[in-house]
Amino acid sequence: MGARETVSSPLPSPDDLQARIQAERPYLLRYAALQLRDRDAAEDAVQETLLAALTGSSGFAGRSSLRTWLTGILKHKIVDHIRRSSREQAAPDPAEGDDADFDALFDRRGHWVDPPQAWENPEGALEQGRLRAVLEECLKGLPARTAQAFMMREHLGLDTPELCKALGVTPTHSWVLLYRARMALRLCLERNGFGR
Amino acid sequence: MMRSCKEVTRLVSQGEERDLGFLERVELRMHLAACRGCRNASDQLRFLRRAARSLQEEDEHTAGRA
């Protein structure tokens, strides 16, 4: 794999590639911070990613964009970091499993106080990129582990066993975290005028 | 026997994570057929997955998609 092959579009020179990799640093840092919720951990994960990219740049075949390739490496580093920090943490806070927060949404019999209305063209907002900033803000408002569970499941695409391994929780607890994340994000998007 | 809206939202979310039992599926379907609020909530909870996927930005040189 190390030999440089001549393809229709020649690969960039090593110096050029190195500069381009460094130029992606701010984006990668923002991406990692959103999921790790800890500036130092995000710095570490990005540093590891850049190091892996610079020492293994032969792995970059130019078939995907540089950003996509780097993000692919970073995703693994992010999950590694979450797994390590979960191991260091004490048992999960029991309050994480409590959905009392949503009690205000429902009456005593568990029916909607204010039934959700349909959203106006959510797909359109998604395509136009109008959703991203709001969703990022809403994610920052979640407890860290709840946000991590959501992003690992819905963004990174981990399944239940992988999620449980990363967070050090039982399947049931992972579902509670995801339920809380989804309910809170739905509500947060709506309160920020999404879908109107 | 009728599930509350709160329970239904939890089932919708769990339905993304595990295979629901036969009875759960029937109850869910019956409730959603009768309850517009839960239908909207269900669509929106599942829309979050597509929204979450969009949080990765592509730069302009996305050769893979060309």
Side-chain angles (χ1 to χ4, degrees), chain A residues 49-61:
Chain A
T49 299
L50 295 183
L51 195 65
L54 291 169
T55 54
S57 53
S58 58
F60 178 58

PDB file of all heavy atoms in Angstrom, chain A residues 49-61:
ATOM      1  N   THR A  49      -5.561  11.840  16.216  1.00  0.00           N
ATOM      2  CA  THR A  49      -6.030  11.665  14.838  1.00  0.00           C
ATOM      3  C   THR A  49      -5.023  12.235  13.848  1.00  0.00           C
ATOM      4  O   THR A  49      -4.676  11.592  12.846  1.00  0.00           O
ATOM      5  CB  THR A  49      -7.391  12.375  14.653  1.00  0.00           C
ATOM      6  OG1 THR A  49      -8.330  11.775  15.537  1.00  0.00           O
ATOM      7  CG2 THR A  49      -7.887  12.261  13.223  1.00  0.00           C
ATOM      8  N   LEU A  50      -4.531  13.441  14.137  1.00  0.00           N
ATOM      9  CA  LEU A  50      -3.575  14.075  13.223  1.00  0.00           C
ATOM     10  C   LEU A  50      -2.285  13.266  13.160  1.00  0.00           C
ATOM     11  O   LEU A  50      -1.709  13.083  12.086  1.00  0.00           O
ATOM     12  CB  LEU A  50      -3.285  15.516  13.675  1.00  0.00           C
ATOM     13  CG  LEU A  50      -4.479  16.468  13.612  1.00  0.00           C
ATOM     14  CD1 LEU A  50      -4.066  17.881  14.020  1.00  0.00           C
ATOM     15  CD2 LEU A  50      -5.094  16.498  12.215  1.00  0.00           C
ATOM     16  N   LEU A  51      -1.882  12.755  14.310  1.00  0.00           N
ATOM     17  CA  LEU A  51      -0.673  11.945  14.356  1.00  0.00           C
ATOM     18  C   LEU A  51      -0.846  10.682  13.501  1.00  0.00           C
ATOM     19  O   LEU A  51       0.012  10.329  12.698  1.00  0.00           O
ATOM     20  CB  LEU A  51      -0.358  11.569  15.808  1.00  0.00           C
ATOM     21  CG  LEU A  51       1.040  11.045  16.080  1.00  0.00           C
ATOM     22  CD1 LEU A  51       2.072  12.136  15.819  1.00  0.00           C
ATOM     23  CD2 LEU A  51       1.158  10.550  17.523  1.00  0.00           C
ATOM     24  N   ALA A  52      -1.986  10.023  13.705  1.00  0.00           N
ATOM     25  CA  ALA A  52      -2.264   8.811  12.927  1.00  0.00           C
ATOM     26  C   ALA A  52      -2.321   9.146  11.437  1.00  0.00           C
ATOM     27  O   ALA A  52      -1.823   8.392  10.602  1.00  0.00           O
ATOM     28  CB  ALA A  52      -3.580   8.187  13.389  1.00  0.00           C
ATOM     29  N   ALA A  53      -2.905  10.298  11.111  1.00  0.00           N
ATOM     30  CA  ALA A  53      -3.039  10.681   9.705  1.00  0.00           C
ATOM     31  C   ALA A  53      -1.674  10.991   9.096  1.00  0.00           C
ATOM     32  O   ALA A  53      -1.374  10.582   7.974  1.00  0.00           O
ATOM     33  CB  ALA A  53      -3.964  11.893   9.587  1.00  0.00           C
ATOM     34  N   LEU A  54      -0.836  11.711   9.843  1.00  0.00           N
ATOM     35  CA  LEU A  54       0.453  12.123   9.300  1.00  0.00           C
ATOM     36  C   LEU A  54       1.410  10.944   9.159  1.00  0.00           C
ATOM     37  O   LEU A  54       2.222  10.903   8.245  1.00  0.00           O
ATOM     38  CB  LEU A  54       1.078  13.209  10.182  1.00  0.00           C
ATOM     39  CG  LEU A  54       0.340  14.552  10.131  1.00  0.00           C
ATOM     40  CD1 LEU A  54       0.833  15.485  11.226  1.00  0.00           C
ATOM     41  CD2 LEU A  54       0.487  15.197   8.762  1.00  0.00           C
ATOM     42  N   THR A  55       1.303   9.984  10.077  1.00  0.00           N
ATOM     43  CA  THR A  55       2.204   8.840   9.979  1.00  0.00           C
ATOM     44  C   THR A  55       1.649   7.778   9.033  1.00  0.00           C
ATOM     45  O   THR A  55       2.391   6.937   8.558  1.00  0.00           O
ATOM     46  CB  THR A  55       2.457   8.194  11.357  1.00  0.00           C
ATOM     47  OG1 THR A  55       1.195   7.874  11.942  1.00  0.00           O
ATOM     48  CG2 THR A  55       3.207   9.135  12.275  1.00  0.00           C
ATOM     49  N   GLY A  56       0.371   7.835   8.794  1.00  0.00           N
ATOM     50  CA  GLY A  56      -0.225   6.801   7.947  1.00  0.00           C
ATOM     51  C   GLY A  56      -0.918   7.389   6.732  1.00  0.00           C
ATOM     52  O   GLY A  56      -1.934   6.877   6.283  1.00  0.00           O
ATOM     53  N   SER A  57      -0.367   8.486   6.213  1.00  0.00           N
ATOM     54  CA  SER A  57      -1.095   9.193   5.154  1.00  0.00           C
ATOM     55  C   SER A  57      -1.191   8.373   3.873  1.00  0.00           C
ATOM     56  O   SER A  57      -1.959   8.704   2.980  1.00  0.00           O
ATOM     57  CB  SER A  57      -0.459  10.560   4.874  1.00  0.00           C
ATOM     58  OG  SER A  57       0.908  10.403   4.618  1.00  0.00           O
ATOM     59  N   SER A  58      -0.392   7.274   3.810  1.00  0.00           N
ATOM     60  CA  SER A  58      -0.542   6.418   2.633  1.00  0.00           C
ATOM     61  C   SER A  58      -1.936   5.794   2.603  1.00  0.00           C
ATOM     62  O   SER A  58      -2.405   5.348   1.569  1.00  0.00           O
ATOM     63  CB  SER A  58       0.514   5.324   2.642  1.00  0.00           C
ATOM     64  OG  SER A  58       0.405   4.566   3.834  1.00  0.00           O
ATOM     65  N   GLY A  59      -2.575   5.781   3.786  1.00  0.00           N
ATOM     66  CA  GLY A  59      -3.932   5.239   3.848  1.00  0.00           C
ATOM     67  C   GLY A  59      -4.953   6.133   3.180  1.00  0.00           C
ATOM     68  O   GLY A  59      -6.079   5.727   2.924  1.00  0.00           O
ATOM     69  N   PHE A  60      -4.543   7.369   2.919  1.00  0.00           N
ATOM     70  CA  PHE A  60      -5.473   8.284   2.268  1.00  0.00           C
ATOM     71  C   PHE A  60      -5.390   8.088   0.768  1.00  0.00           C
ATOM     72  O   PHE A  60      -4.429   8.481   0.117  1.00  0.00           O
ATOM     73  CB  PHE A  60      -5.133   9.737   2.623  1.00  0.00           C
ATOM     74  CG  PHE A  60      -6.025  10.729   1.944  1.00  0.00           C
ATOM     75  CD1 PHE A  60      -7.401  10.682   2.129  1.00  0.00           C
ATOM     76  CD2 PHE A  60      -5.494  11.696   1.108  1.00  0.00           C
ATOM     77  CE1 PHE A  60      -8.226  11.589   1.487  1.00  0.00           C
ATOM     78  CE2 PHE A  60      -6.327  12.609   0.463  1.00  0.00           C
ATOM     79  CZ  PHE A  60      -7.686  12.552   0.652  1.00  0.00           C
ATOM     80  N   ALA A  61      -6.403   7.446   0.223  1.00  0.00           N
ATOM     81  CA  ALA A  61      -6.349   7.063  -1.182  1.00  0.00           C
ATOM     82  C   ALA A  61      -6.895   8.149  -2.100  1.00  0.00           C
ATOM     83  O   ALA A  61      -6.824   8.038  -3.303  1.00  0.00           O
ATOM     84  CB  ALA A  61      -7.123   5.767  -1.392  1.00  0.00           C
TER      85      ALA A  61
END
